């Protein structure tokens, strides 16, 4: 992260390449979102980058494929939340997004805010990406923070936080969940 952008810098620190948003996307991003500010980015492979973008409305989990990126800033993954963290599984195209006040649709498609861990499976590619909630706090009274895959991808460890009446998140402890939920 450099100056709010996701930037690739060579080992010597001499050359930099702007990755999210791509230089040709800057004007569109500024028109749609306003300021550009990322706090976190992870790479699954050379062309696929997941990042957390800060906006005035909260944070967004975004996914950019540099192979298919065009002049338009269109992302296959756009997940809103209050405090988002993300982690790629080891050598597997699974992305875990965890956080507080994550906006997910209910059965009728109406967005609701929940504490959540959601696994995105990209095994079949971006167009057939599957999202699977692994853990939810339906009333948003608890949150899953700092989710991280175990080395063998069998579990996700996370910090469980409880929401106080004033909205502050208080950490309760370290928990784990199987990679298929439960």
């Amino acid at each position: 992260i450099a100056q709010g952008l996701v930037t690739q810098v060579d080992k010597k620190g001499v050359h930099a390449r702007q990755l999210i948003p791509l230089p040709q996307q800057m004007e569109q991003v500024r028109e749609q979102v306003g300021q550009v500010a990322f706090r976190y980015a992870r790479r699954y492979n050379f062309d696929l980058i997941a990042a957390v973008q800060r906006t005035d409305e909260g944070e967004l989990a975004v996914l950019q494929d540099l192979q298919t990126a065009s002049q338009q800033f269109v992302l296959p993954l756009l997940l809103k939340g209050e405090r988002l963290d993300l982690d790629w599984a080891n050598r597997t195209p699974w992305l875990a997004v965890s956080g507080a006040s994550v906006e997910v649709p209910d059965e009728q498609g109406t967005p609701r805010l929940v504490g959540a861990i959601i696994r995105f499976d990209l095994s079949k590619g971006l167009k057939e990406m599957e999202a699977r909630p692994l853990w939810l706090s339906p009333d948003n009274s608890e949150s899953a923070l700092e989710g991280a895959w175990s080395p063998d991808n069998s579990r996700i460890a996370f910090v469980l936080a409880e929401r106080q009446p004033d909205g502050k998140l208080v950490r309760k402890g370290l928990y784990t969940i199987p990679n298929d939920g439960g």
Side-chain angles (χ1 to χ4, degrees):
I1 306 298
Q3 298 176 344
L5 305 171
V6 178
T7 306
Q8 175 182 314
V9 181
D10 69 0
K11 292 179 183 179
K12 295 180 182 178
V14 176
H15 301 286
R17 178 179 166 216
Q18 183 176 319
L19 301 177
I20 302 178
L22 293 171
Q24 64 266 29
Q25 298 171 331
M26 286 297 292
E27 184 176 337
Q28 179 190 1
V29 170
R30 287 219 164 93
E31 287 174 4
Q32 290 179 349
V33 182
Q35 72 176 19
V36 179
F38 288 86
R39 74 166 176 86
Y40 187 73
R42 292 290 305 263
R43 232 174 178 162
Y44 168 66
N45 61 32
F46 188 75
D47 293 316
L48 197 56
I49 304 167
V52 174
Q53 179 182 10
R54 288 183 170 163
T55 68
D56 292 338
E57 291 81 36
E59 295 185 342
L60 302 174
V62 297
L63 186 62
Q64 173 113 306
D65 183 347
L66 297 177
Q67 284 287 344
T68 60
S70 65
Q71 301 253 343
Q72 297 297 308
F73 191 60
V74 178
L75 301 165
L77 170 61
L78 188 65
L79 188 66
K80 296 180 182 180
E82 175 187 335
R83 165 91 167 93
L84 296 178
D85 296 295
L86 42 86
D87 193 37
W88 286 105
N90 294 312
R91 297 175 301 281
T92 304
W94 292 345
L95 177 67
V97 178
S98 58
S101 298
V102 178
E103 191 174 286
V104 297
D106 62 13
E107 294 79 27
Q108 292 78 30
T110 306
R112 64 184 175 125
L113 299 178
V114 300
I117 299 175
I118 300 173
R119 184 187 78 194
F120 292 88
D121 184 348
L122 290 100
S123 301
K124 298 176 185 171
L126 292 174
K127 294 185 183 200
E128 297 182 47
M129 177 173 48
E130 296 176 12
R132 180 176 184 166
L134 302 181
W135 177 87
L136 296 174
S137 172
D139 61 359
N140 203 26
S141 63
E142 295 179 314
S143 301
L145 306 177
E146 302 171 22
W149 285 96
S150 63
D152 65 357
N153 298 339
S154 65
R155 304 187 76 71
I156 298 172
F158 64 99
V159 174
L160 183 67
E162 185 176 68
R163 186 174 301 278
Q164 300 297 303
D166 64 359
K168 182 179 176 185
L169 295 173
V170 176
R171 295 167 185 261
K172 292 173 63 173
L174 182 64
Y175 289 73
T176 64
I177 189 165
N179 70 11
D180 59 352

